[in-house]
């Protein structure tokens, strides 16, 4: 699937969630989607958590 199709599907799911569960359900769903995406990137090896931690604490590296 292309990123456009994935984005459209995610938008539809979030819109449906907002309609059914209201604002707080929408925020909770968005949080779960973001955490799931983060964990998926880590599992695929496309995201190094040590590098993210270093960037958030102000340490930068060239690697």
């Amino acid at each position: 699937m292309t990123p456009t199709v994935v984005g459209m599907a995610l938008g539809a799911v979030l819109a449906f969630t907002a309609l059914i569960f209201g604002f707080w359900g929408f925020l909770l769903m968005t949080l779960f989607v973001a955490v799931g995406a983060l964990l998926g990137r880590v599992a695929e090896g496309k995201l190094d958590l040590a590098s993210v931690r270093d960037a958030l604490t102000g340490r930068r590296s060239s690697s």
Side-chain angles (χ1 to χ4, degrees), residues 35-49:
V35 169
L38 181 71
L39 291 176
R41 299 282 291 187
V42 170
E44 288 179 353
K46 293 183 178 181
L47 181 65
D48 182 23
L49 290 180

Side-chain angles (χ1 to χ4, degrees), residues 8-59:
M8 288 173 32
L10 182 59
V13 168
L14 290 176
F16 184 72
T17 302
L19 288 172
I20 299 298
F21 298 112
F23 179 72
W24 294 110
F26 170 76
L27 286 182
L28 188 61
M29 178 69 174
T30 304
L31 176 69
F32 287 154
V33 167
V35 169
L38 181 71
L39 291 176
R41 299 282 291 187
V42 170
E44 288 179 353
K46 293 183 178 181
L47 181 65
D48 182 23
L49 290 180
S51 297
V52 172
R53 184 191 67 226
D54 289 344
L56 290 175
T57 58
R59 295 184 208 153

